[in-house]
Amino acid sequence: MPDTIKSEDDSMRDRPRLNILFLASEADPLVKVGGLGDVAGTLPQFLRQIPASAGFPTLDVRLVLPFHPAIRQKMSGAQLLAEYTIPHSSGPLPASVYYTEINQVPVYLIAGGFIPEEGPIYSLDQRVDAQKYVFFSLAAMELPRVLDWPLDILHANDWHSALTPHLLNLRKPSDAFTQSSASLLTVHNLPFMGAGAEKVVAEFGIPPVHDPNLPVWSWQIPLPMGLHAADKIVAVSPTYAREILTPEFGCDLQGFLKTRRQALTGILNGLDTKSWDPVTDPDIPARFSRENLAARAENKRSLLAEFNLQSDPDIPLLILIGRFDHQKGVDIALKGLKSVLDLPWQIIMLGTGDPHLEAAAHQLEVDNPARVRTALRFDARLARRMYAGGDILLMPSRYEPCGLAQMIAMRYGCLPLARATGGLNDTITDDPSGKTSTGFLFTTATPRAFARRLTTALEQYPDRPAWQTMQQRAMSLDFSWEKSAIDYAKIYLEIKEGRS
């Protein structure tokens, strides 16, 4: 075992300890595709930093990732730690474990087997991904034994590692390193279950779940198997935890999830407030704070000039940032905007995705060249300039388990207009009296409901003192990871005490 893992200060040695293996398919800064990368790249760091004064044991959190080609391209100094084999119907598959450290978090990178040396993080071929992530899950389960590191909590994330709670339950009776272990599964996006993995699960000799509360079709699919086995299930926002118990959001698992209601909770994802800080952000033209909102105006002027739009402080600037797909409700926004053309507004849209939605966004620009601009690409630095210069962020998601864009926007003084779903409902306050509002919410996922709420926002914009008060209120909200980390630590302790 590398010496960097052994070293610890006296305060850590004196405190009780919980060993936590944190499994994910991606983690920033090593590799990031979506929101899971933000969570897995940040939460372990904050869990390890919880001070002794908070009253928790030392949380020895160690991150496990597939050794993706994208990670290999970024780093060359990972240390080979162990080699072993994983049983498969075609014969034993070699697995290699490499060690590195990111932001003082020990990281294990698993290679070999079906983890390719070239290719994307996620494949369009279900079987390719199933082979990769089932192999990854089995290889990760060997780490406690290989490291001689008794496991207290196994923390899996989404379908890519959701098999591990099931595997843990299978092996605990005969494995000294996991006999007293427990598991937690975080659900970031329920519809992505690992469908198509059934044959691969069988090829690795993993027995299915047999539970009459679960639909039969789900007995060999990774996420339902994990939901069945995990000691605790965490959805990435309190509202999403309630929503997945309903037919609209439950993906035909709502009946089963109701039987696990006592194990289910919601913890809102945090935000990296050091990275997302308008006071220090080097990628925006003018830095500002809630005490100095006047400086923010330069960001809007600069952004409008960048896109050759009229610079008029009395015209609200709308922004839309993210993936162009059905879930995000981009079609709702595009259709809704057409019904408020009689009101003053401009919009800049940034993102890629469904070609039909990209074409519709471009057509809106063609039809309205004086007020609409589209940037059909991924551009992280432009996104920052948009958060810093926009007046209203449009986020009309059909469902949004947590969402980070609305948190970032509020931190930058850009008020969100969103559907009241998932984490959007938990982070945005829309008070009819206006006394506590930090944004605007609508309930029904239709262009008409969106346009109605947008009309209200546009009508309120000219009252600049009230608007600035709402901006300052939004910028004062605390979305830091410290709070979310404490909430996870409480769950870990609850699981461990329940197992003692």
Side-chain angles (χ1 to χ4, degrees):
M1 187 185 305
D3 291 339
T4 49
I5 298 179
K6 295 179 182 178
S7 63
E8 55 189 29
D9 60 35
D10 292 338
S11 64
M12 291 180 70
R13 278 197 295 267
D14 293 341
R15 291 161 63 188
R17 175 186 298 274
L18 284 181
N19 293 340
I20 301 159
L21 203 61
F22 193 102
L23 282 69
S25 57
E26 56 180 274
D28 191 46
L30 289 176
V31 61
K32 176 189 169 183
V33 176
L36 174 57
D38 290 311
V39 175
T42 310
L43 178 56
Q45 176 185 351
F46 279 86
L47 287 166
R48 289 180 68 89
Q49 292 173 352
I50 292 176
S53 58
F56 293 101
T58 293
L59 301 180
D60 186 359
V61 184
R62 306 185 185 184
L63 176 62
V64 190
L65 300 167
F67 205 166
H68 295 294
I71 300 178
R72 290 180 181 273
Q73 293 168 9
K74 279 188 176 182
M75 59 182 304
S76 57
Q79 174 185 346
L80 179 62
L81 196 63
E83 294 178 309
Y84 45 88
T85 60
I86 301 299
H88 186 262
S89 59
S90 65
L93 298 174
S96 302
V97 180
Y98 293 80
Y99 172 82
T100 189
E101 190 174 293
I102 299 294
N103 296 324
Q104 298 183 322
V105 175
V107 180
Y108 302 107
L109 303 167
I110 293 179
F114 288 108
I115 299 175
E117 295 189 2
E118 58 181 32
I121 309 306
Y122 306 117
S123 170
L124 296 177
D125 187 325
Q126 290 181 328
R127 181 173 175 82
V128 169
D129 264 8
Q131 289 176 321
K132 177 194 297 185
Y133 291 109
V134 173
F135 171 82
F136 166 70
S137 296
L138 283 159
M141 288 303 302
E142 296 299 318
L143 277 174
R145 177 185 58 80
V146 169
L147 299 173
D148 194 16
W149 185 67
L151 178 64
D152 292 304
I153 307 291
L154 174 72
H155 188 157
N157 289 272
D158 269 357
W159 81 263
H160 318 94
S161 55
L163 271 177
T164 53
H166 177 69
L167 296 170
L168 178 64
N169 287 353
L170 291 173
R171 67 175 53 196
K172 277 198 295 187
S174 59
D175 185 356
F177 291 102
T178 56
Q179 282 179 352
S180 61
S181 304
S183 61
L184 179 152
L185 173 59
T186 297
V187 180
H188 300 259
N189 205 331
L190 184 65
F192 295 89
M193 299 185 188
E198 297 90 330
K199 290 184 179 179
V200 173
V201 168
E203 288 167 3
F204 275 98
I206 302 170
V209 169
H210 291 91
D211 185 338
N213 292 314
L214 265 176
V216 175
W217 58 260
S218 68
W219 286 4
Q220 281 184 294
I221 295 178
L223 187 58
M225 295 172 77
L227 293 170
H228 174 268
D231 292 285
K232 289 287 184 180
I233 302 166
V234 176
V236 290
S237 70
T239 293
Y240 193 53
R242 295 189 296 270
E243 287 177 339
I244 60 176
L245 300 176
T246 68
E248 182 179 359
F249 300 97
C251 303
D252 293 330
L253 297 179
Q254 63 272 8
F256 164 74
L257 288 169
K258 286 179 181 178
T259 69
R260 301 228 58 203
R261 193 191 300 261
Q262 295 304 311
L264 173 63
T265 191
I267 297 177
L268 194 68
N269 285 341
L271 181 68
D272 184 347
T273 53
K274 290 183 179 179
S275 172
W276 295 103
D277 187 351
V279 177
T280 59
D281 194 333
D283 290 324
I284 62 177
R287 298 170 190 171
F288 62 97
S289 68
R290 63 178 179 270
E291 293 82 14
N292 182 26
L293 264 180
R296 189 180 189 276
E298 176 56 30
N299 293 301
K300 182 175 179 178
R301 285 193 293 268
S302 176
L303 187 62
L304 291 170
E306 181 179 349
F307 282 88
N308 194 28
L309 286 168
Q310 177 187 357
S311 182
D312 184 340
D314 294 328
I315 300 177
L317 175 59
L318 317 179
I319 61 171
L320 190 153
I321 301 172
R323 198 169 67 249
F324 281 33
D325 68 15
H326 182 77
Q327 178 210 330
K328 297 296 183 181
V330 174
D331 58 311
I332 293 173
L334 295 175
K335 292 174 183 176
L337 287 168
K338 293 178 183 178
S339 65
V340 293
L341 290 171
D342 58 324
L343 296 174
W345 53 266
Q346 300 165 312
I347 188 168
I348 299 171
M349 296 178 281
L350 170 66
T352 62
D354 185 329
H356 297 290
L357 292 175
E358 289 185 1
H362 176 68
Q363 189 61 48
L364 187 67
E365 178 178 355
V366 170
D367 294 340
N368 302 275
R371 61 164 69 187
V372 179
R373 294 291 184 270
T374 56
L376 300 176
R377 64 181 187 269
F378 175 82
D379 190 330
R381 296 180 70 183
L382 172 57
R384 288 179 176 269
R385 298 195 296 276
M386 290 170 66
Y387 287 124
D391 295 306
I392 301 174
L393 170 76
L394 304 183
M395 211 166 172
S397 303
R398 285 183 167 83
Y399 75 95
E400 193 68 55
C402 180
L404 289 178
Q406 81 279 11
M407 300 185 202
I408 297 168
M410 286 187 280
R411 187 159 170 79
Y412 279 65
C414 181
L415 300 181
L417 188 150
R419 188 183 177 213
T421 184
L424 301 176
N425 188 61
D426 291 321
T427 52
I428 303 166
T429 300
D430 190 350
D431 175 11
S433 72
K435 294 179 180 179
T436 60
S437 292
T438 58
F440 306 88
L441 294 170
F442 64 97
T443 303
T444 309
T446 64
R448 182 178 180 183
F450 164 83
R452 188 183 303 123
R453 202 72 191 109
L454 178 58
T455 298
T456 301
L458 296 175
E459 289 173 345
Q460 290 184 15
Y461 182 77
D463 185 349
R464 302 316 297 280
W467 191 270
Q468 289 176 6
T469 297
M470 201 185 311
Q471 287 179 293
Q472 290 171 327
R473 191 183 297 128
M475 293 175 72
S476 300
L477 295 174
D478 180 10
F479 295 122
S480 64
W481 267 112
E482 283 89 346
K483 182 179 184 301
S484 301
I486 290 292
D487 289 340
Y488 269 105
K490 290 177 181 176
I491 297 292
Y492 292 154
L493 203 56
E494 180 183 335
I495 296 173
K496 183 60 179 176
E497 290 175 348
R499 286 280 175 180
S500 300

